[in-house]
Amino acid sequence: ATSGVSSPVVVQSFSPTSTCYCTPTALGGACITNVTFGSLNNTTTGCTGAPTYYNMYTTPVPNFTAGAPVTFSMTTDVSSITSMWIDYNHDMAFSPSEWQQIYTSGTSGSVTFNIPFSAISGQTRMRVRSRLVGNLNGSADACTAFGSGETEDYLVTFKLKQLKRKEEKSNSQFR
């Protein structure tokens, strides 16, 4: 028989630094050497964060406006396949709809896209992953264990686009 008493439920409020995000693993090689996105320009030398090759960078935090076009670029030390995800809806997961393929071979690339109007205002997390060329690094691989490469997470902030109101002309003769 059941008692009808349930266990307490803990509600996790959204935090872009939450441990609820998956922490992927990789084995190094195909190291991320630069990530540039708005005011963020992070240069590193070689893969760091062994043994998982995962790093979380909390500063600087670039700011973007929903609906605005933005350019993301990155470099790696050897020919790689690279991807980027942004948690636009603050669900603490990186969905295929939040994914951008930066490049599929070579050591540098960029992509220009619009921040969706549906992006929730405030700070959120962005994930960048690299992997040796010839391997998969697709929209569903934000949390996949890789046999090569590196993962870097960053904080980014979105604000809603402000619509300009038409200014009413004042006419003193009617006052």
Side-chain angles (χ1 to χ4, degrees):
T2 59
S3 68
V5 177
S6 63
S7 299
V9 174
V10 177
V11 176
Q12 172 76 36
S13 61
F14 175 76
S15 169
T17 58
S18 172
T19 57
C20 291
Y21 282 96
C22 64
T23 303
T25 59
L27 296 178
C31 305
I32 298 168
T33 54
N34 181 268
V35 170
T36 302
F37 192 46
S39 63
L40 170 67
N41 186 350
N42 186 39
T43 299
T44 55
T45 56
C47 290
T48 59
T52 61
Y53 297 98
Y54 168 81
N55 292 286
M56 173 73 187
Y57 297 99
T58 57
T59 58
V61 181
N63 295 290
F64 301 99
T65 301
V70 294
T71 299
F72 175 93
S73 62
M74 66 183 292
T75 61
T76 52
D77 64 348
V78 298
S79 190
S80 305
I81 180 171
T82 61
S83 292
M84 182 267 292
W85 295 260
I86 297 175
D87 183 15
Y88 293 117
N89 61 3
H90 295 190
D91 67 353
M92 292 184 260
F94 298 105
S95 304
S97 63
E98 299 171 322
W99 171 76
Q100 296 284 333
Q101 185 87 73
I102 311 308
Y103 55 94
T104 57
S105 67
T107 58
S108 66
S110 64
V111 62
T112 299
F113 59 98
N114 288 336
I115 301 297
F117 285 107
S118 61
I120 295 176
S121 183
Q123 213 172 71
T124 194
R125 195 180 293 199
M126 173 179 76
R127 172 157 297 164
V128 181
R129 299 199 77 189
S130 65
R131 194 170 191 191
L132 286 171
V133 73
N135 291 291
L136 296 177
N137 187 355
S139 64
D141 290 326
C143 300
T144 303
F146 284 172
S148 64
E150 185 178 21
T151 304
E152 295 180 355
D153 279 2
Y154 295 89
L155 299 180
V156 296
T157 301
F158 298 116
K159 62 182 180 178
L160 299 178
K161 187 171 188 159
Q162 297 294 319
L163 299 177
K164 292 183 180 179
R165 292 184 353 185
K166 280 189 168 181
E167 303 222 7
E168 293 183 27
K169 293 181 180 180
S170 65
N171 190 331
S172 60
Q173 70 182 358
F174 295 109
R175 289 188 179 199

